[in-house]
Amino acid sequence: MTAPVIVRFDQVNKWYGQNHVLQDVSLEVAKGEVVVVCGPSGSGKSTLIRTINALEPIQKGSVTLNGTAVHGKGTDLNKLRQSVGFVFQQFNLFPHMSVLDNVTFAPIRIQKRPRAEAEALARELLARVGLAEKEGSFPGFLSGGQQQRVAIARALALRPPVILFDEPTSALDPEMVGEVLQVMKSLARDGMTMICVTHEMGFAREVGDRVIFMDQGRIVVDTTPELFFDAPDHPRVRRFLSDVRGEH
Amino acid sequence: MLEIISNYWLTFLIGQYPNGPLGGLAMTMIVAVLSILMSFPIAIGIAMARLSAWGWLRMASAALSSFVRGIPLLMLIFWCYFVIPIMTGYAVSGFWTLVAALTIYEAAYLSEVIRAGMAAVPKGQTEAARSLGGGYFLTLRSVVLPQALFNVLPGITSQFISTIKETSLGYVIAVNELTFAANQVNNQLLTQPLQVFTILAAIYFLLCFLLSRGLSALEFSIRRKRGLI
Amino acid sequence: MDFLLPADQMAMLLWGLRTTVLLFTVAWVGAFALAVILVTVRATEYRPCRWIVDAFVAYHRNVPLLVQVMFWYFGMPEILPEGIRFWLYDHNAEFSLAAIALALGSSAYQAEDIRSGLRAIPATQFEAARALGCNYLQTMRFIVVPQALRISLPPLVGRALLLFKNTSVAMAIGVAELTYRTREIENMTFKTFTVFGIATVLYLLGTFALMGLGAWLERRTTPGRKERRHA
């Protein structure tokens, strides 16, 4: 039995002016899959996942999320975005709200849930990312790693069936990368559907179900981590792997 | 000078009240607070229009704002003084003329301050709110405006101080505020203008100086509480 | 323009504009010169100098311009020596005293603008110039001041605009500038919309001219403008 498809790209094309940033991208992600997207900078990986919640428009093709055409006319984007979590490279926590308010913001203000219920959920999520004692702090007092964990809790507070990560550890000091990856790994093991743009190859190998390699707006390779790392048959991938491993 | 203060301090503070109309410092503060409060929502509206996705709205709001900022406040006061009665058919008091002119004038300046603040909120903040499913107005109200207004608090404070100072122009259309009261005192005394105007300047100075110090201390303490320093 | 206003009234209005422009020019030149002096004095390490400048700036920032004008017009002549006082009253005292008040008021703000421009120049620029063998004055003249002026230019242009508009306050002590003449002619003719309309347009032309001048100066002082033209 195959799991149902949650995200589907069908011949997606996107241009920034003259720049063709997504070229004929087709892709399916099934429920429970952990997909790691990698590739050199400027290859279109961030753009790819930003089209899934319509932070970026597309010019051709279609993206489908849970059966809804994301870029379709008449799609209620606000409703659609509640069903997909997004974690940013720069965390983007709201600096004028406490940690707890950041996490309860969407449930209370957007989904209109009772405050008590939203706070109970938020505390549960903060405990899960290991920050239960920080609920009263403002983001300005937290380290980058802590901020990113709060951002993950904030994304989870809508209980989305799928969560997207846009280079979640790239803006972090090296010693804080581990704590964020730890949280992401535990989510993956719990069966969350995840699409992660990341250069963390250890993460890809350990919990990834598939690795997608992009170059110049195209999906060049779509394979298992084992094949990707141990038997890379594409010259571009070999070069990329030697770059991220620091071999020259 | 002390004698003038002890004889006329009530005139400086509240004008002829309660035997005549309220005036003096009290009137100055009423006009200033009323004007800034009324200009605030208008300023936010203009700032939103200036950052809008529609070109015509951006152009219209920019033209309106540069028109108001291109003429002296006194001109605007005279416009309101002569035009509001003609347009509305009602005789409008000097008080409301002054409040109307200051509201329009400050709305234009304040909108520049607020627009700069809104434009400076990182794009990621809007994206974060939108990616959680927040709509335009919710994002504006809960995420963009609170940060933008807070970040430009120094600018808002200085507009408020400006407004207090600008109320003095009410003197020209005989609004009973602090400068008007001082001139009344001066006309009664006749021989001590230097003293009277020194007292007048001192009152404005203390008011504006202490107010701006107080507000910036308040801002500093909020910043520290949020870990922004 | 006869269809708008009779020629003699139009002439009165334009004469008012001339006074406005004159008042602005005199006050601006005075204000800028004084601002440079204030910044220089403030830069000395001698504390009382700094306090005096700071007090001067704080006074002019926190007291309404109209009150400053009244203070000079009604109050100051009292303590001036008799000779100067009579000379003033014989020579358009309103204009001179208004110009002094406007210049002092604007200089306080301009000094702040120049000072923050100077402070924006990193100390490393100073060190780099000294390392190349420039002395203090050469460092200021060739390295620091040109960069600082460019940073200060936009706020200084804004100040000039405010000063231009603020000349209207001088009407309160009877300087026959544009706003004063506007009211006067309105009183004579009751052609409210026409008179105020013309005056408003004249003011707008003045501010737009100053803005254009500011934009031109800004373009001229932008480094690398010639390279960009080829790009």
Side-chain angles (χ1 to χ4, degrees):
Chain A
M1 192 190 103
T2 46
V5 172
I6 286 198
V7 179
R8 169 179 287 129
F9 284 75
D10 191 15
Q11 295 290 311
V12 172
N13 281 273
K14 177 176 174 64
W15 287 264
Y16 282 124
Q18 295 290 312
N19 204 0
H20 201 169
V21 287
L22 291 180
Q23 305 191 30
D24 292 328
V25 171
S26 292
L27 174 70
E28 285 185 354
V29 177
K31 188 167 169 27
E33 264 193 306
V34 175
V35 177
V36 172
V37 184
C38 58
S41 69
S43 59
K45 21 186 224 309
S46 285
T47 311
L48 179 86
I49 65 163
R50 285 164 62 91
T51 61
I52 300 174
N53 69 351
L55 282 179
E56 300 284 351
I58 60 174
Q59 279 82 38
K60 239 173 90 183
S62 70
V63 181
T64 318
L65 176 68
N66 285 320
T68 311
V70 174
H71 302 272
K73 273 207 166 105
T75 299
D76 183 349
L77 281 182
N78 295 338
K79 197 155 177 63
L80 179 131
R81 283 168 175 157
Q82 289 170 40
S83 66
V84 47
F86 198 99
V87 177
F88 296 86
Q89 182 178 354
Q90 300 292 345
F91 337 131
N92 292 344
L93 290 182
F94 304 130
H96 58 304
M97 299 180 190
S98 70
V99 163
L100 189 69
D101 289 342
N102 264 280
V103 181
T104 59
F105 171 75
I108 294 177
R109 303 298 301 276
I110 297 165
Q111 293 185 322
K112 312 286 181 199
R113 288 187 196 283
R115 175 171 291 274
E117 182 194 319
E119 285 185 351
L121 170 63
R123 291 199 171 99
E124 187 188 312
L125 292 170
L126 285 173
R128 170 154 194 192
V129 299
L131 291 170
E133 78 285 5
K134 294 286 186 189
E135 65 167 65
S137 300
F138 280 89
F141 288 105
L142 303 184
S143 71
Q146 290 173 327
Q147 290 193 53
Q148 192 60 297
R149 286 188 279 155
V150 173
I152 294 172
R154 181 176 71 173
L156 289 172
L158 289 166
R159 298 210 172 281
V162 53
I163 180 162
L164 314 172
F165 292 85
D166 185 4
E167 306 209 26
T169 55
S170 299
L172 296 176
D173 290 337
E175 71 271 23
M176 294 170 183
V177 170
E179 61 192 66
V180 172
L181 289 180
Q182 212 52 52
V183 170
M184 290 171 63
K185 284 176 194 166
S186 92
L187 278 177
R189 289 195 190 99
D190 288 356
M192 174 64 88
T193 312
M194 295 162 67
I195 304 178
C196 315
V197 174
T198 181
H199 289 155
E200 294 297 333
M201 293 301 124
F203 172 82
R205 195 188 270 274
E206 198 175 328
V207 297
D209 295 311
R210 273 159 77 193
V211 176
I212 285 173
F213 181 79
M214 291 187 73
D215 191 27
Q216 298 183 348
R218 291 180 189 279
I219 294 182
V220 181
V221 172
D222 179 351
T223 182
T224 63
E226 291 75 25
L227 285 174
F228 184 81
F229 292 113
D230 300 334
D233 56 356
H234 198 286
R236 206 58 201 81
V237 174
R238 279 201 293 271
R239 199 158 87 225
F240 173 77
L241 286 177
S242 92
D243 282 350
V244 294
R245 285 171 185 151
E247 302 162 5
H248 289 288
Chain B
M1 196 131 78
L2 287 176
E3 204 187 321
I4 300 176
I5 294 176
S6 69
N7 286 340
Y8 291 99
W9 63 277
L10 262 179
T11 313
F12 278 112
L13 284 185
I14 56 173
Q16 313 299 322
Y17 194 80
N19 304 315
L22 182 68
L25 182 62
M27 190 51 124
T28 288
M29 284 314 287
I30 291 172
V31 172
V33 171
L34 206 56
S35 306
I36 204 87
L37 285 181
M38 283 169 46
S39 68
F40 218 82
I42 305 174
I44 291 175
I46 299 174
M48 280 165 62
R50 296 209 57 180
L51 295 170
S52 138
W54 297 312
W56 63 269
L57 191 56
R58 283 200 305 272
M59 300 249 284
S61 52
L64 178 75
S65 148
S66 15
F67 171 77
V68 173
R69 290 181 301 127
I71 61 174
L73 175 56
L74 257 182
M75 267 284 151
L76 192 63
I77 291 175
F78 284 132
W79 270 116
C80 291
Y81 188 72
F82 291 113
V83 172
I84 293 179
I86 295 173
M87 289 206 325
T88 61
Y90 290 99
V92 181
S93 65
F95 171 82
W96 285 110
T97 304
L98 182 62
V99 170
L102 281 174
T103 301
I104 298 169
Y105 196 70
E106 280 310 316
Y109 277 93
L110 212 47
S111 76
E112 289 295 300
V113 174
I114 294 173
R115 180 181 66 124
M118 285 169 71
V121 172
K123 196 161 151 265
Q125 289 292 310
T126 317
E127 284 184 349
R130 298 309 288 264
S131 75
L132 290 168
Y136 174 78
F137 283 104
L138 179 68
T139 303
L140 191 72
R141 195 176 65 232
S142 307
V143 175
V144 177
L145 276 181
Q147 295 184 56
L149 295 181
F150 180 70
N151 287 337
V152 296
L153 217 51
I156 295 173
T157 302
S158 90
Q159 279 321 122
F160 182 49
I161 304 291
S162 292
T163 311
I164 293 176
K165 293 191 289 170
E166 282 153 1
T167 58
S168 63
L169 295 181
Y171 162 82
V172 179
I173 54 169
V175 178
N176 233 320
E177 42 67 63
L178 182 55
T179 303
F180 189 85
N183 275 277
Q184 282 181 320
V185 173
N186 186 41
N187 291 341
Q188 281 174 34
L189 290 168
L190 281 174
T191 55
Q192 293 161 292
L194 185 66
Q195 290 83 338
V196 171
F197 286 103
T198 302
I199 294 168
L200 176 63
I203 297 175
Y204 277 115
F205 179 84
L206 284 177
L207 176 65
C208 296
F209 185 77
L210 294 178
L211 206 56
S212 63
R213 282 295 161 96
L215 289 174
S216 75
L218 183 69
E219 185 209 338
F220 185 79
S221 79
I222 300 176
R223 251 178 224 288
R224 195 154 54 186
K225 182 173 147 249
R226 290 187 185 171
L228 299 173
I229 296 179
Chain C
M1 286 286 208
D2 254 12
F3 63 99
L4 289 175
L5 272 184
D8 56 332
Q9 288 170 7
M10 197 67 203
M12 268 174 82
L13 212 54
L14 290 177
W15 202 251
L17 176 65
R18 181 183 168 277
T19 308
T20 290
V21 171
L22 207 60
L23 190 55
F24 164 73
T25 311
V26 171
W28 189 86
V29 171
F32 188 75
L34 186 55
V36 171
I37 296 171
L38 286 172
V39 172
T40 314
V41 172
R42 178 71 169 69
T44 59
E45 292 301 306
Y46 191 50
R47 281 202 172 178
C49 284
R50 280 201 251 164
W51 289 336
I52 290 168
V53 173
D54 286 350
F56 178 90
V57 170
Y59 168 79
H60 288 94
R61 288 176 71 108
N62 287 296
V63 174
L65 183 62
L66 177 65
V67 175
Q68 296 171 31
V69 169
M70 286 174 165
F71 184 84
W72 276 90
Y73 183 67
F74 295 116
M76 274 321 244
E78 239 189 289
I79 51 172
L80 288 177
E82 214 163 66
I84 299 178
R85 202 191 321 167
F86 289 139
W87 183 88
L88 261 180
Y89 285 141
D90 280 344
H91 292 84
N92 199 354
E94 293 85 2
F95 183 93
S96 318
L97 292 168
I100 291 172
L102 283 167
L104 293 180
S106 193
S107 75
Y109 284 98
Q110 290 189 25
E112 291 288 278
D113 295 338
I114 297 172
R115 202 162 72 90
S116 42
L118 285 171
R119 276 198 304 194
I121 309 303
T124 48
Q125 286 288 310
F126 201 87
E127 287 163 8
R130 295 310 284 268
L132 288 172
C134 292
N135 64 29
Y136 178 81
L137 279 179
Q138 286 169 328
T139 305
M140 292 307 277
R141 160 85 181 75
F142 296 115
I143 308 298
V144 178
V145 170
Q147 295 187 61
L149 268 187
R150 205 166 50 242
I151 297 172
S152 307
L153 191 60
L156 284 176
V157 171
R159 281 319 154 204
L161 283 175
L162 279 177
L163 179 61
F164 176 69
K165 297 193 292 167
N166 282 341
T167 53
S168 62
V169 170
M171 74 157 284
I173 57 166
V175 178
E177 46 68 71
L178 185 53
T179 306
Y180 183 92
R181 288 295 187 210
T182 308
R183 281 222 61 188
E184 203 177 34
I185 299 168
E186 197 277 339
N187 253 326
M188 281 160 32
T189 61
F190 297 106
K191 289 184 180 171
T192 311
F193 281 91
T194 314
V195 184
F196 276 95
I198 295 172
T200 300
V201 169
L202 290 176
Y203 272 118
L204 285 176
L205 288 178
T207 47
F208 291 155
L210 279 173
M211 279 164 127
L213 183 68
W216 179 74
L217 279 173
E218 227 165 295
R219 266 200 313 280
R220 281 210 39 151
T221 52
T222 304
R225 71 201 155 96
K226 282 174 191 142
E227 285 91 312
R228 221 169 293 156
R229 213 174 284 161
H230 296 292

